[in-house]
C-alpha cells in the first residue's frame, strides 16, 4: 500500500517534461521522509509583505552571523533563525532568534523547520578543508550525512535550499587558470569530495524531485569581525589582524600561491541575490562566483601601503600548501554575471583598506595615516 502510494504519478519532471513516478527520498526507511505527493516543488512565491522564514545551519562560523544580519535587515529580525551546535556569544543571542540544531539529528531538524514554519534554508554547517583532513570521519559525517538530512528535510517541506560549495570542489586535474563552471572535478580532500557530492545531490534532487536547490562555489572569504574555521585560505584573514597588531605576519602558504578570494560583504550579497533570482534566470543550479585573485606576496605589498614597517615571513604548512596547489588560481564566474547579474564590489585595494580600517583604529595603521 505504502509502495503503491510512493509510485503515484504526481507531476511533470522539470528535467524532461515527462511524467515520472516519485519515489520517497528515503524509501528503505519506513520513516515519513518522503516527498508529499501534492507538494508544489517549485519556488514558493513571496509577496513584498510575505517574507520567507529562514533557517541558517552552522550559523556561528565565519559566515553565518553576517548572513543572519543581512537577512534580518531584509526580511525582519524574527524571520531569520540562526542555529548551531555551539553556544552563542551574548551579542549573537540577543540579536535575534537562535536555536540549537545538530544537522546529524534529522528529527531535531524537522522539528525546527515545522515549529518555525521555515521556507528558506541556508545550510552553512561544514568542516572546512584543513580541519577536514585532520578529522576525516567527522568531516564525512557532517559534510555528507548531514547534507543528506538537509536535502531530505528541504524536499519534504518544500524549502528553497542554499548550500555553499567552494573552490575546493576542484582538484589538480581541473583547469586552474581560469576554472570554468563545468569541467573535471576530482578534488583530493574530503572537504572537496563532500562539496562535489553536495553539488551533484542538490542538482539531482532538483531535477528528480523539483527541489529549489541553489548553490554558489565561494572563493576564500575574508572577514573582519569573524574568525575562519580551519581552511586553507585562512591566512588571508589572519594577515590583517597580525599586520595591525604586530606589524608582521608568518604565512603558512608559499609567497606565490595564487587563490581566488572575496570580501564577506560581496559573498553574502551574492548569496542573497542568487536566492532571490527568478528561477527562470538560472540556467544552472551551481555557479562559480568570483571577485579577486592574489598571492600572499601581492597581498603583503598592498598591506605595506598602509603599514610601512610590515614584514611577512613564510613557514609553509605542507598539508595546506598541497591543498592550495590543487585549487583554482582564478575563477571564471561569467555564467553568474550573465544569468543573474552578479557583480563584485571589492577588489584587492578596497579589501585591504576596509580590513585594516576595521583592525587598525588604535594601532599602527592609524599611526601611519
Ligand atoms: N569561509 C570560507 O572561506 C568559505 C566557506 N564556504 C562554505 O560556507 C559555509 C560556511 O563556512 P564558514 O562559516 O566559514 O564555516 P565555519 O567552519 O566557520 O563554521 C561551520 C559551523 O558549522 C558548525 N557545525 C559543525 N558540525 C555541526 C553539526 N553537526 N550540526 C550543526 N552545525 C555544525 C560549527 O559549529 C561551525 O559553527 C561552509 O559550508 C563552507 O564550506 C565555502 C567556501 C569558502
Ligand atoms: C575556500 C574554502 O572553502 C575554505 N576557506 C577553505 O580554505 O577550506
Amino acid at each position: 500500500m505504502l509502495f503503491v502510494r510512493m509510485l503515484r504519478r504526481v507531476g511533470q519532471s522539470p528535467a524532461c517534461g515527462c511524467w515520472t513516478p516519485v519515489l520517497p527520498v528515503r524509501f528503505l526507511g519506513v520513516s515519513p521522509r518522503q516527498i508529499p505527493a501534492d507538494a508544489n516543488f517549485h519556488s514558493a512565491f513571496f509577496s513584498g509583505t510575505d517574507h520567507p522564514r529562514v533557517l541558517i545551519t552552522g550559523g556561528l562560523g565565519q559566515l553565518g552571523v553576517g548572513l543572519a544580519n543581512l537577512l534580518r535587515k531584509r526580511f525582519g529580525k524574527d524571520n531569520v533563525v540562526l542555529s548551531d551546535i555551539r553556544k552563542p556569544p551574548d551579542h549573537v543571542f540577543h540579536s535575534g532568534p537562535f536555536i540549537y540544531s545538530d544537522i546529524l539529528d534529522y528529527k531535531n531538524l524537522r522539528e525546527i523547520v515545522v515549529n518555525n514554519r521555515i521556507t528558506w534554508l541556508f545550510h552553512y554547517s561544514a568542516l572546512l578543508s584543513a580541519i577536514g583532513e585532520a578529522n576525516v570521519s567527522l568531516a564525512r559525517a557532517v559534510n555528507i550525512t548531514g547534507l543528506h538530512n538537509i536535502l531530505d528535510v528541504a524536499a519534504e517541506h518544500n524549502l528553497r535550499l542554499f548550500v555553499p560549495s567552494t573552490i575546493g570542489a576542484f582538484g589538480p586535474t581541473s583547469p586552474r587558470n581560469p576554472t570554468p563552471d563545468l569541467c573535471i572535478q576530482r578534488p583530493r580532500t574530503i572537504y572537496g569530495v563532500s562539496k562535489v557530492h553536495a553539488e551533484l545531490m542538490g542538482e539531482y534532487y532538483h531535477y528528480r524531485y523539483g527541489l529549489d536547490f541553489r548553490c554558489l562555489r565561494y572563493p576564500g572569504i575574508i572577514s573582519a569581525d569573524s574568525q575562519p574555521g580551519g581552511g586553507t585560505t585562512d591566512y588571508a584573514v589572519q594577515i590583517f589582524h597580525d599586520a595591525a597588531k604586530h606589524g608582521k605576519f608568518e604565512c603558512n602558504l608559499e609567497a606565490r600561491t595564487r587563490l581566488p578570494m572575496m570580501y564577506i560583504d560581496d559573498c553574502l550579497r551574492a548569496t542573497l541575490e542568487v536566492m532571490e533570482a527568478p528561477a527562470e534566470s538560472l540556467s544552472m543550479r551551481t555557479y562559480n562566483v568570483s571577485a579577486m585573485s592574489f598571492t600572499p606576496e601581492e597581498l603583503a605589498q598592498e598591506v605595506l601601503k598602509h603599514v610601512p614597517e610590515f614584514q611577512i615571513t613564510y613557514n609553509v604548512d605542507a598539508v595546506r600548501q598541497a591543498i592550495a596547489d590543487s585549487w583554482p588560481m582564478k575563477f571564471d564566474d561569467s555564467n553568474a554575471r550573465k544569468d543573474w547579474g552578479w557583480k563584485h564590489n571589492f577588489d584587492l585595494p578596497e579589501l585591504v583598506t576596509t580590513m585594516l580600517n576595521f583592525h587598525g583604529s588604535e594601532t599602527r595603521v592609524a599611526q601611519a595615516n
Side-chain angles (χ1 to χ4, degrees), residues 328-342:
M329 292 190 265
K330 193 167 182 290
F331 237 14
D332 174 354
D333 64 354
S334 48
N335 287 314
R337 289 175 192 265
K338 180 164 51 75
D339 284 3
W340 45 276
W342 165 239

Side-chain angles (χ1 to χ4, degrees), residues 57-65 83-86 100-105 108-109 123-129 131 138 141-143 146 162-168 191 194-195 216-223 226-234 237 261-262 267 327:
T57 66
L60 294 183
Q62 186 191 358
L63 307 184
V65 173
S83 74
D84 207 300
I85 50 172
R86 296 194 271 153
Y100 171 86
S101 171
D102 181 351
I103 58 157
L104 295 175
D105 180 348
N108 168 245
L109 265 181
H123 175 48
Y124 269 5
S125 311
L127 263 68
L128 272 57
S129 57
I131 201 161
L138 184 62
V142 173
N143 296 8
F162 178 82
V163 179
S165 186
T166 163
I167 48 173
Y191 177 59
S194 70
K195 289 294 187 179
L216 297 180
R217 295 192 190 102
Y218 294 161
I221 306 301
I222 299 166
S223 57
S226 58
Q227 291 304 309
T232 304
T233 58
D234 292 8
V237 178
M261 301 279 184
M262 184 181 278
C267 163
W327 281 3

Side-chain angles (χ1 to χ4, degrees), residues 299-334:
L299 180 55
Q301 283 302 316
E302 198 63 37
V303 171
L304 256 180
K305 294 179 186 168
H306 301 258
V307 186
E309 75 279 23
F310 178 65
Q311 288 185 332
I312 185 165
T313 52
Y314 296 91
N315 182 11
V316 172
D317 175 291
V319 173
R320 283 183 165 85
Q321 187 63 46
I323 295 173
D325 287 342
S326 74
W327 281 3
M329 292 190 265
K330 193 167 182 290
F331 237 14
D332 174 354
D333 64 354
S334 48

